[in-house]
Amino acid sequence: MRKLDNIIRIKNTIQRSLVAVLVLCVTACSEEDLTENPPNIVIAEQLFVDAAGFQSVLNGLYHEVRKERMGSTGADETNAGDVRFSLMVNGTDNVFGINPGPSERLTNRLGSLNNPRNGFVRRIFDWQYKAINIANTIVDRAKTTEVDWTEEEKNRIIAEARTIRAWAYRHLTYLWGDVPINLVESQGINIRTDWEREPLSEVYKVMEDDLLFAEQWLPVEPENSGRVSRAVAQHYLAELYIRMNQPELAIAKAEVVIAGPYSLITERYGINANQPGVPFMDQFYDGNVLRSQGNTEVLWAILQENGVDNPDQGRNIMRRYFVSTYRNIPGIALSAQRGGRGIGRISMTKWALDIYEPTDERNSEFAISKGYTYGESGDDDPSLAEPPATLGDFVPTVIVTESENLPPAVRDTYPHSRKWEWADSNNLNLNEQFGDQPYVRLADTYLLLAEAQFKLGRTGDAAESLNVVRRRSNASEITALDVTIDFILDERSREFLCEEQRRYCLVRNSKFLERTQLHNAVTGGVIIPRDTIFPIPQTVIDANLTREMRQNPGY
């Protein structure tokens, strides 16, 4: 009976997933408009009739991408709650749950919490297959529906969908290893109960085919930074070829991206250019994120705007998770200039904070909080301090060895990454945030290039690729003798702290277990080899009635 219930649940989930995306369609963005306005009741046969209808569903697929930085609880699974991103970054060498909620306790503590019935893990798994099904629907309908569009328009739509399908399989393979492959639209009449987990090599081939098609048909410059471009497909191909142990091909793809119309941000620009700051951080400020706003480094952005259509379409909770609980420091007020209201679920390990050189601007006060001065906000009240303070007194951040049980006074003053600071000055207690955010940056392409060069023994070239990124932030230059895979991973931490899916680059280089044990005092003491990948959700195994689906070892 339980297996039958799961079959019905999965069937209904697939149907709801497609109906939801057809009815909701998605959001407007803060650059060129992505909004479509379909009728209140829409079915596939009404929608897949013209290019605008296909674009509406594609916009819904982009909404699935944005969910990475949204909560995963609530009626629509986009509200405040467990941010999906935490599964990809917490419990690694450079991030720990400092004030953990349920999802951070999972990746902090592992052990019995990391089991096939864990609801957070299941939601992430289901989310990725929902995205795959939407992509499959777009691809299948585009190939079989008579539409008045050009071959270029059709293939561009298909290319965007296939890029996001590869994006979803990328998540699945890093988090679960071998996974089932589905490349056709799932409907109520073709529900399967005989899925088989395909080896990584087969999934990689699907991803490669999708991305090579996308490389051919995606534009060099999309209509806005929230859509994938040719460079995004090439960037993901570079990473994929490293995983496939084909570093020569990885180098070729990375070099094409680097030779394109992109460059690292090395000079101040944009909305805060006349205020104190560093070039590295300018690209994270809302108003500076898009290429149309002067950001030459962004390859793909997460676009959001407050109050556009349904606000669930354009919010995320990265600030909620990464900004500390500084407002609990006696006399220090919640303020927009301090990044708004955070609950400090996740922060940086002591090791990650200690590996910067003194001159490295990625560790400056503009990138990582260093403390709070009474009087920076007009609502500060230094008389509440213990002992009482005066205006101008400074409360420094406190760095200690990571622990889940830090005293509140230490936790409240622990540093936080300022990449996710954002506030609505009219509602400082707002849980969500609506600023645009970089998602894939050219700096990542340079560091993938260095990784591939290193794998071929080209350490001099790898050193130069690393130095391009290091120069931007005033870090000292290195030589070929300095280049090891651990140095490359250290550099990724310095550049993408609290930003990249940290687990992925560690897994890709078979360093997840070793480096987490070495550098994370919370998770390092409990992690075991099986925790390198997560268990297949029990609901998925139970629903596979006519073929036994193997579980990952140790679960």
Side-chain angles (χ1 to χ4, degrees):
M1 179 62 69
R2 177 178 295 173
K3 288 188 176 183
L4 179 59
D5 288 343
N6 284 331
I7 287 289
I8 295 170
R9 182 188 63 78
I10 289 173
K11 176 178 177 178
N12 289 339
T13 297
I14 290 170
Q15 292 171 331
R16 285 197 305 270
S17 296
L18 186 54
V19 170
V21 74
L22 295 180
V23 174
L24 265 181
C25 291
V26 268
T27 180
C29 297
S30 50
E31 206 177 18
E32 288 81 355
D33 196 5
L34 280 175
T35 303
E36 300 293 341
N37 295 297
N40 290 330
I41 299 176
V42 181
I43 61 175
E45 286 67 26
Q46 294 174 334
L47 194 58
F48 290 111
V49 296
D50 56 22
F54 276 92
Q55 185 63 58
S56 292
V57 183
L58 185 60
N59 290 346
L61 184 54
Y62 279 108
H63 178 53
E64 296 304 313
V65 174
R66 286 194 293 275
K67 283 183 180 179
E68 183 175 321
R69 296 176 177 183
M70 296 180 182
S72 69
T73 56
D76 60 359
E77 293 203 344
T78 60
N79 217 325
D82 298 325
V83 68
R84 292 165 173 82
F85 180 67
S86 70
L87 194 70
M88 308 162 192
V89 65
N90 190 52
T92 62
D93 57 356
N94 67 4
V95 172
F96 76 107
I98 187 173
N99 181 28
S103 61
E104 293 73 53
R105 284 193 286 273
L106 161 66
T107 41
N108 268 8
R109 302 173 187 175
L110 298 171
S112 62
L113 293 178
N114 190 18
N115 68 75
R117 299 190 185 278
N118 185 283
F120 183 59
V121 173
R122 176 187 57 77
R123 290 198 298 274
I124 305 301
F125 190 92
D126 290 351
W127 160 53
Q128 291 303 317
Y129 277 104
K130 177 180 177 180
I132 287 168
N133 189 49
I134 298 169
N136 290 343
T137 301
I138 294 170
V139 173
D140 286 354
R141 300 286 179 128
K143 292 178 178 178
T144 60
T145 306
E146 291 294 328
V147 177
D148 184 17
W149 55 9
T150 67
E151 192 71 8
E152 288 74 17
E153 287 175 322
K154 180 180 80 170
N155 285 327
R156 191 266 302 169
I157 290 280
I158 294 173
E160 290 187 65
R162 291 183 69 172
T163 300
I164 297 176
R165 185 167 68 184
W167 166 91
Y169 279 117
R170 174 180 179 267
H171 279 304
L172 287 165
T173 51
Y174 273 126
L175 293 172
W176 285 279
D178 301 346
V179 290
I181 295 173
N182 182 31
L183 301 178
V184 298
E185 176 185 356
S186 295
Q187 303 180 44
I189 61 173
N190 67 349
I191 296 298
R192 288 181 52 183
T193 62
D194 62 346
W195 293 103
E196 184 172 359
R197 295 177 63 190
E198 302 292 344
L200 284 175
S201 59
E202 294 300 314
V203 189
Y204 292 164
K205 185 64 169 62
V206 169
M207 295 166 63
E208 181 186 23
D209 289 345
D210 279 348
L211 293 170
L212 288 173
F213 180 89
E215 180 184 31
Q216 179 182 358
W217 290 104
L218 288 176
V220 174
E221 290 283 2
E223 291 185 16
N224 69 58
S225 301
R227 293 181 180 172
V228 290
S229 66
R230 185 176 302 168
V232 173
Q234 292 164 334
H235 173 90
Y236 281 139
L237 278 167
E239 183 194 59
L240 178 62
Y241 284 134
I242 292 174
R243 299 180 74 186
M244 296 171 70
N245 197 28
Q246 299 183 52
E248 301 94 340
L249 293 179
I251 290 171
K253 295 303 180 186
E255 288 179 339
V256 170
V257 177
I258 290 167
Y262 306 95
S263 60
L264 298 187
I265 299 297
T266 58
E267 302 290 339
R268 298 297 310 283
Y269 79 99
I271 60 171
N272 294 331
N274 296 324
Q275 301 176 24
V278 294
F280 172 73
M281 284 301 297
D282 276 338
Q283 63 189 310
F284 296 96
Y285 300 140
D286 190 26
N288 282 8
V289 171
L290 310 181
R291 288 182 60 74
S292 62
Q293 296 166 339
N295 190 343
T296 60
E297 184 165 337
V298 66
L299 304 184
W300 190 7
I302 299 292
L303 294 130
Q304 304 164 120
E305 189 168 344
N306 195 356
V308 174
D309 290 339
N310 184 340
D312 288 335
Q313 305 286 314
R315 63 177 64 181
N316 74 47
I317 56 172
M318 296 292 275
R319 182 252 300 134
R320 175 182 168 89
Y321 263 64
F322 284 97
V323 172
S324 73
T325 49
Y326 69 85
R327 68 185 187 283
N328 293 334
I329 301 171
I332 294 295
L334 180 67
S335 66
Q337 61 266 42
R338 289 170 176 150
R341 178 178 175 270
I343 58 173
R345 294 289 189 210
I346 296 175
S347 197
M348 303 153 285
T349 62
K350 185 176 186 298
W351 168 82
L353 292 165
D354 286 345
I355 63 171
Y356 291 97
E357 296 173 316
T359 60
D360 195 325
E361 293 173 351
R362 296 169 296 189
N363 188 36
S364 68
E365 63 183 294
F366 306 105
I368 296 174
S369 62
K370 303 299 180 184
Y372 310 94
T373 300
Y374 286 104
E376 286 179 329
S377 168
D379 294 326
D380 290 344
D381 186 351
S383 69
L384 299 176
E386 301 172 1
T390 60
L391 291 176
D393 284 353
F394 183 70
V395 181
T397 55
V398 177
I399 303 174
V400 297
T401 300
E402 54 274 5
S403 168
E404 273 194 19
N405 301 307
L406 295 177
V410 174
R411 188 172 65 238
D412 297 340
T413 55
Y414 200 86
H416 69 254
S417 170
R418 304 192 67 183
K419 293 174 179 177
W420 310 118
E421 291 186 349
W422 184 92
D424 181 344
S425 58
N426 296 315
N427 186 2
L428 290 175
N429 284 302
L430 189 69
N431 282 328
E432 295 80 13
Q433 66 193 91
F434 297 94
D436 298 333
Q437 297 171 349
Y439 187 62
V440 180
R441 299 195 281 117
L442 183 65
D444 194 351
T445 314
Y446 272 106
L447 295 189
L448 287 176
L449 175 61
E451 192 175 321
Q453 290 166 330
F454 172 76
K455 289 181 183 299
L456 287 175
R458 293 168 49 182
T459 53
D461 292 336
E464 177 54 24
S465 297
L466 290 160
N467 281 333
V468 171
V469 176
R470 291 174 62 81
R471 288 186 200 112
R472 182 258 294 282
S473 294
N474 202 30
S476 64
E477 298 209 6
I478 62 168
T479 70
L481 295 177
D482 298 308
V483 180
T484 64
I485 195 60
D486 283 303
F487 187 93
I488 292 172
L489 293 171
D490 291 353
E491 192 62 30
R492 292 195 68 92
S493 180
R494 285 184 281 262
E495 180 70 18
F496 300 111
L497 187 60
C498 300
E499 180 187 356
E500 73 173 342
Q501 298 119 348
R502 181 63 176 177
R503 169 185 282 265
Y504 296 1
C505 66
L506 299 179
V507 168
R508 182 172 68 245
N509 288 286
S510 301
K511 286 284 188 175
F512 175 64
L513 184 68
E514 172 191 332
R515 289 178 63 99
T516 302
Q517 289 175 330
L518 189 61
H519 299 311
N520 185 325
V522 175
T523 307
V526 297
I527 193 171
I528 58 177
R530 67 147 200 184
D531 298 314
T532 301
I533 51 178
F534 289 102
I536 300 295
Q538 191 63 42
T539 52
V540 175
I541 290 177
D542 289 346
N544 215 47
L545 290 172
T546 55
R547 183 191 297 267
E548 182 177 357
M549 183 177 289
R550 58 188 169 88
Q551 182 57 274
N552 281 325
Y555 295 105

